[in-house]
Amino acid sequence: RVPSNSSAMLLSGATKAPKSNMADEFEGTRGATLRDVGAAEFIATFAAFLKKQGKLELPKWVDLVKTGTGREMCPIDPDWFYTRTAAVARKVYLRPGVGLGALKRVFGGAKRLGVNRNKFKDGSGAVIRTALIQLNALGLVEVSEDGRGRRVTRKGQQALDRIAGQIINAE
């Protein structure tokens, strides 16, 4: 059912004003946060930022390891560790107090067993643990007060929100 005041507008032939783009929406009202941008855009941009910054130390085994027991081969993308670290940072931002076990389930997937049914397998704990340690060394993530899980630091929240703002302003 259409409310009475808008039905008169519809009958008169008036059209709605076109929606403004996202950059206009955020200007002057509040800062953009990570929740305001898409996951794929943010992860790609933050991974490029981590790579350009040069402070993230890659492990020796980065070109040999699989991302989980459900995978057959190592990733094709040579910069996959930056992408995974950015995705871990995003997940910790969105779910404060998340631990290694929950992140392993998030980054897990189906193990293909040929003619048998697929079976869920967790992601690699070593990869996620190393990403968390690297983010902790950069000062973006810290262990929660209760010692269970990780949370984003104030500096980390500012950095992640700044990247999100750059994405919105670029659109």
Side-chain angles (χ1 to χ4, degrees):
R1 185 167 177 212
V2 180
S4 60
N5 60 352
S6 63
S7 62
M9 237 174 58
L10 291 173
L11 293 174
S12 67
T15 59
K16 292 184 179 179
K19 290 186 178 180
S20 62
N21 69 11
M22 289 180 89
D24 295 337
E25 183 180 328
F26 288 108
E27 198 149 340
T29 57
R30 63 178 176 87
T33 66
L34 182 129
R35 294 178 189 272
D36 298 324
V37 297
E41 297 178 273
F42 177 79
I43 291 170
T45 306
F46 190 54
F49 171 76
L50 289 173
K51 184 175 181 180
K52 188 178 88 169
Q53 193 179 24
K55 293 183 180 178
L56 193 69
E57 186 178 321
L58 293 177
K60 295 182 290 189
W61 42 259
V62 76
D63 57 341
L64 304 173
V65 72
K66 301 189 302 181
T67 57
T69 57
R71 302 287 174 251
E72 288 185 26
M73 298 174 64
C74 59
I76 297 170
D77 182 16
D79 298 329
W80 70 269
F81 190 75
Y82 295 106
T83 305
R84 179 58 55 101
T85 305
V88 167
R90 180 180 175 275
K91 282 293 179 188
V92 172
Y93 181 100
L94 294 175
R95 295 175 56 185
V98 69
L100 182 64
L103 288 171
K104 282 172 60 174
R105 285 187 292 280
V106 165
F107 290 106
K111 179 174 176 73
R112 298 185 55 181
L113 299 172
V115 296
N116 297 330
R117 291 182 179 159
N118 295 347
K119 184 169 180 153
F120 182 83
K121 293 291 185 177
D122 288 344
S124 172
V127 171
I128 297 169
R129 187 179 310 107
T130 305
L132 287 170
I133 290 169
Q134 293 292 327
L135 289 169
N136 194 6
L138 293 174
L140 303 177
V141 171
E142 66 184 4
V143 177
S144 297
E145 292 88 20
D146 59 358
R148 298 176 57 95
R150 303 290 205 291
R151 60 185 284 276
V152 174
T153 62
R154 182 174 172 82
K155 175 185 167 188
Q157 183 174 357
Q158 289 173 348
L160 297 175
D161 288 343
R162 186 175 61 246
I163 298 289
Q166 290 172 359
I167 293 170
I168 287 179
N169 290 333
E171 292 175 350

